Amino acid sequence: MSRTISGATRVAGVAGRPVAHSLSPILHNAWLEAAGIDGVYVALEVGEDGFAAFVEGLRRTSWAGVNVTLPFKEAALTVADEAHPRAQRARAANLLVFGDGGRVRADNTDGLGLATAFAEQAPQFDARSGPVVVLGAGGAARGAVAALQDAGCRDVRIVNRTLARAEALAADLGGGAAAWGDAETALQSAVAVINATSAGVADGLTLDAPLAATPAGCVVMDMVYMPLVTPFLALAKALGRPTVDGLAMLIGQARPSFEAFYGQPPPANLDVRALALKALGA
Ligand code: NAP
C-alpha cells in the first residue's frame, strides 16, 4: 500500500554522518503505515560542522524532530533548551523533539534500547553481578554507561582508543577508564562487554578486541548492526559467548522516539525486526 504525502504530513528523521546506511527510516515508516499515521521519516546527512545550524534551521518549522546518530550525539545535547535527566547525565542525546516556539527538547533513548536488547537476547544478564566493559567513549558509550549504572552496575570499565576521552567520560559519569592496550585486563572478569565504537562503520577497519580474555558466560554485545553478525560478534560466538546484536538495540531505542514524534507508541504487532533483517540481507 502506498502512502500519500500531504501538506499536513508530520516529518521526522535521523541526522548523522554517515547516515545513508541507517535502518531507522525502514522501522519508522513501517510503523507509520501500519498505524495509519500521516507521517514520514527520512535520513539526513549533515555536514561535519553543520549540526548546530541544521537544528537552528529546523526548530521553528513544522518538523516533529530528529533522532541523532554519530558523530553528533554530544553536540545534540548542547543545542537543546531542555533535556531529560538521563540525557543530561549521559551528556549526549539521540532524540531532539521540536516544540512550540522552536523549543528543542533532548532525550537519550539509547539506554532504553540497550536494556531492551539485553532483556530480549540475554535475559540471564544482571548488571549488578559484576564488571561491564564498554568499548568506546563517544555519544553511544555515554548512553550505555548511564544505562548500566541505572541498572545497578557498580563497575563500568570504559576502554577507548583515545584514553583522554575515556577519562572524560569516567569523570562525568563515574567508572574506570583504560587505554586500548589495557583491554585484555579489563575484560578478564567482565560479565558483559559492549562495543560502542564506530570502528568499521566508515573506515573499513575491523575492531581488534581481545575477546578471548573474557570468562565463559560473558555476554558480548555489538551496537553495530551492519552486518547483523559483525566480526566482533562472530568471534564471540566462536568462543561460545552469549551475544546480543545491535539491531535489537536499534528497535528498542526507536520505539520511544516514534512515540515522541507521532504522539502514540508504534503498533506492537508489526515484526519490524523481520523487515530490517530483509533490508540487511540477513
Ligand atoms: P562517536 O561519538 O563518533 O564515537 C565513536 C567511538 O568509536 C569513539 O570512542 C572512537 O574512539 C571509537 N572508534 C572509532 N574508530 C575506531 C577504531 N578504528 N578503533 C577503535 N575505536 C574506534 O559515535 P557514537 O555515536 O558513539 O556511535 C558509536 C557506534 O554505536 C556507531 O557504530 C553507531 O552506529 C552505534 N550505535 C548503534 C546504536 C543501535 O541502536 N544499535 C545506537 C547508538 C549507536 P576515539 O575517541 O579514539 O576517536
Side-chain angles (χ1 to χ4, degrees):
M1 194 169 53
S2 67
R3 282 182 294 151
T4 304
I5 305 296
S6 74
T9 299
R10 195 154 171 79
V11 188
V14 55
R17 182 181 186 84
V19 80
H21 67 281
S22 174
L23 291 183
S24 293
I26 290 175
L27 306 180
H28 285 270
N29 286 309
W31 281 327
L32 285 166
E33 187 166 343
I37 296 172
D38 184 11
V40 69
Y41 184 101
V42 297
L44 292 145
E45 180 141 336
V46 179
E48 217 165 308
D49 301 321
F51 187 76
F54 165 79
V55 173
E56 198 47 43
L58 281 186
R59 63 193 298 164
R60 286 180 190 81
T61 68
S62 57
W63 271 61
V66 286
N67 283 122
V68 181
T69 188
L70 84 166
F72 300 122
K73 289 186 181 186
E74 289 158 81
L77 192 70
T78 64
V79 298
D81 299 302
E82 57 186 288
H84 192 284
R86 61 190 164 216
Q88 283 175 10
R89 247 188 82 218
R91 296 203 190 175
N94 74 327
L95 172 62
L96 297 178
V97 177
F98 304 141
D100 291 342
R103 265 191 97 67
V104 179
R105 188 162 46 84
D107 198 350
N108 192 323
T109 64
D110 277 343
L112 299 174
L114 191 70
T116 304
F118 270 82
E120 282 174 10
Q121 298 187 352
Q124 76 281 12
F125 171 72
D126 181 350
R128 296 165 299 186
S129 63
V132 177
V133 175
V134 174
L135 303 174
R142 284 182 167 270
V145 171
L148 288 163
Q149 291 170 338
D150 289 346
C153 182
R154 287 188 300 197
D155 184 0
V156 183
R157 301 170 177 178
I158 305 147
V159 178
N160 195 44
R161 182 177 61 178
T162 308
L163 177 60
R165 211 170 168 197
E167 288 172 338
L169 206 175
D172 284 349
L173 288 182
W180 206 259
D182 296 322
E184 195 165 333
T185 312
L187 287 170
Q188 272 162 7
S189 53
V191 294
V193 52
I194 298 168
N195 174 31
T197 76
S198 57
V201 173
D203 57 15
L205 294 173
T206 301
L207 192 67
D208 183 21
L211 283 183
T214 55
C218 173
V219 181
V220 178
M221 194 270 167
D222 198 341
M223 289 196 189
V224 178
Y225 55 80
M226 205 168 283
L228 185 69
V229 181
T230 59
F232 183 74
L233 287 188
L235 174 58
K237 285 179 191 288
L239 290 165
R241 305 290 181 262
T243 60
V244 175
D245 64 54
L247 181 56
M249 177 176 171
L250 182 81
I251 296 169
Q253 65 76 36
R255 286 186 173 279
S257 300
F258 183 95
E259 188 164 356
F261 296 141
Y262 302 109
Q264 62 187 75
N269 55 357
L270 184 68
D271 187 359
V272 286
R273 184 173 171 92
L275 293 174
L277 287 175
K278 197 170 160 203
L280 284 173

